[in-house]
Amino acid sequence: MVQPTTLGEFIVENQRDFPFATGELSQLLTSIRLAAKVVNREINKAGLADILGAMGSENVQGEAQQKLDIMANDTFMRALRSMGQVCGVASEEEEHFVAFDDDIHSDARYVVLMDPLDGSSNIDVNVSVGTIFSIYRRTTPAESAVELKDFLQPGDAQIAAGYVVYGSSTMLVYTTGNGVNGFTLDPSIGVFCLSHPDMQIPQDGKIYSVNEGNYVHFPEGVKRYIKYCQEFDKATNRPYTSRYIGSLVSDFHRNLIKGGVYLYPTGTMAPKGKLRLLYECNPLAFIVEQAGGMATDGTRRIMEIAPDELHQRVPCFIGSPRMVETAHAFLRKYEN
Ligand code: AHM
Ligand code: MG
């Protein structure tokens, strides 16, 4: 039997490709890998333990927090705090960034932004959820207090980004800017093994993913693009297939493998879009571009947007480049 490469081995083997190859990033990814396994274990038994359902609280964005949102947030925070590489973490579940300012973090050079459990409204019905993370070097000097500006960096400054999808199998997919690799958790030994080396998104696809319940609220260009996806045309392989789980990581992951486009546009329901720039769109944009795809807000590359707040929302068009470009053409034509 051929022994699979484990995520731990892969991280060490590829450490040299990384511009600041000091081993710190490898340690940091190790913390994330461990937290992902803990969260996976808790999600897997969620129906048996009393951890389903709402907490009875809301996060800063006014969304009901699920018990598993809190568990995932605490697990990742603890794992990142336990090592000395990270000086602060910003999370969807926390209004302000959390500074790690004790002695072991005094010369930590990285900040992490994360959505610890994305798509958590799907948990109670046993539908896939995910974790998304984004890693930057701090811009302020080590040994000083971490500041908001360390977190408000454009996506192009990301050092690494990834996601975990807790699906029919659990996978961790990440990039450090040298392509994208996917690892499947072998539950019998509790180890992530390389299963999807050098992932490439198909240049074109047949899947469009959008919450069509919001159709009447969308800009005219998006409505026309959706109609285009639904029309019959043999030459361009239409109609396309509509697939929408409502769990960004899962929808993104499927489209990355099969080819497709995910849209969360502006609309009267979500005037700035729904998805968060820093810990949802940027990390997935880094991954999709590394896999040969595109991510924009309809006009600009997501990763070029200069953020001005931690929980900033942006419209998002992400996936196979030809599909994103066609959507753009509709947006330009029906600009309103
Ligand atoms: P969350 O971070 O509160 O879970 O919200 C993000 C989720 C995404 O996973 C998903 O793609 C989107 O919200 C679904 O939104 P909608 O229900 O409006 O279609
Ligand atoms: Mg989310």
Side-chain angles (χ1 to χ4, degrees):
M1 188 181 100
V2 182
Q3 188 113 348
T5 305
T6 69
L7 175 55
E9 288 164 351
F10 186 90
I11 290 171
V12 172
E13 276 164 25
N14 290 278
Q15 192 167 298
R16 260 169 301 135
D17 293 343
F18 177 65
F20 314 94
T22 58
E24 290 169 301
L25 182 73
S26 303
Q27 280 295 342
L28 205 172
L29 291 168
T30 295
S31 306
I32 290 175
R33 168 177 69 139
L34 177 65
K37 286 191 226 175
V38 174
V39 169
N40 177 64
R41 185 192 63 202
E42 296 304 308
I43 289 173
N44 276 187
K45 62 178 186 197
L48 299 172
D50 181 28
I51 46 174
L52 286 179
M55 239 356 235
S57 55
E58 286 186 346
N59 66 13
V60 59
Q61 294 146 81
E63 297 157 345
Q65 285 182 307
Q66 308 291 315
K67 291 178 191 167
L68 282 169
D69 279 328
I70 309 286
M71 179 280 300
N73 191 53
D74 291 351
T75 304
F76 277 94
M77 281 286 179
R78 214 175 306 123
L80 292 167
R81 193 191 277 275
S82 69
M83 307 294 269
Q85 300 81 30
V86 177
C87 55
V89 177
S91 162
E92 179 175 327
E93 301 305 329
E94 313 259 359
E95 181 170 3
H96 304 291
F97 66 84
V98 176
F100 296 165
D101 47 13
D102 40 353
D103 280 354
I104 69 156
H105 303 101
S106 61
D107 57 0
R109 279 187 284 227
Y110 293 93
V111 294
V112 176
L113 297 103
M114 64 173 178
D115 182 350
L117 206 57
D118 184 68
S120 53
S121 62
N122 285 314
I123 296 167
D124 287 2
V125 291
N126 211 350
V127 169
S128 306
V129 287
T131 296
I132 315 175
F133 61 90
S134 172
I135 301 173
Y136 293 83
R137 300 266 291 187
R138 64 183 299 180
T139 53
T140 54
E143 293 177 11
S144 62
V146 65
E147 294 178 39
L148 183 59
K149 66 179 176 200
D150 291 313
F151 296 89
L152 299 185
Q153 300 187 51
D156 271 333
Q158 287 174 104
I159 295 299
Y163 62 81
V164 185
V165 55
Y166 309 97
S168 46
S169 60
T170 293
M171 276 191 72
L172 191 151
V173 174
Y174 83 102
T175 183
T176 55
N178 292 297
V180 180
N181 292 282
F183 300 81
T184 301
L185 181 65
D186 180 339
S188 64
I189 50 171
V191 173
F192 282 104
C193 297
L194 181 62
S195 52
H196 295 63
D198 192 19
M199 296 174 83
Q200 297 287 328
I201 189 166
Q203 293 297 291
D204 208 349
K206 268 187 67 75
I207 297 173
Y208 71 103
S209 309
V210 61
N211 184 343
E212 289 185 65
N214 293 330
Y215 182 86
V216 296
H217 304 281
F218 287 150
E220 188 59 23
V222 174
K223 288 182 180 168
R224 299 283 182 139
Y225 178 65
I226 292 173
K227 286 290 161 222
Y228 165 87
C229 293
Q230 296 168 344
E231 274 160 18
F232 176 77
D233 179 50
K234 224 172 168 185
T236 50
N237 244 331
R238 287 177 288 140
Y240 295 155
T241 297
S242 167
R243 289 283 181 272
Y244 191 72
I245 299 168
S247 196
L248 174 63
V249 175
S250 315
D251 280 309
F252 175 84
H253 183 70
R254 182 203 50 242
N255 293 355
L256 176 65
I257 291 175
K258 292 194 163 183
V261 65
Y262 177 99
L263 325 172
Y264 212 112
T266 55
T268 47
M269 300 277 281
K272 295 179 175 171
K274 177 182 182 192
L275 300 179
R276 271 56 55 116
L277 172 62
L278 289 174
Y279 43 79
E280 293 178 323
C281 299
N282 269 338
L284 298 186
F286 191 15
I287 290 170
V288 88
E289 286 196 7
Q290 284 292 314
M294 268 178 90
T296 75
D297 68 352
T299 50
R300 291 173 296 178
R301 275 177 72 235
I302 289 283
M303 290 203 290
E304 284 172 13
I305 299 172
D308 40 41
E309 49 176 325
L310 219 45
H311 300 288
Q312 184 169 339
R313 295 175 193 267
V314 281
C316 187
F317 299 76
I318 186 165
S320 295
R322 290 208 198 111
M323 299 183 85
V324 175
E325 273 159 6
T326 305
H328 280 182
F330 278 91
L331 293 176
R332 279 195 300 270
K333 188 165 173 196
Y334 297 99
E335 209 172 346
N336 47 9

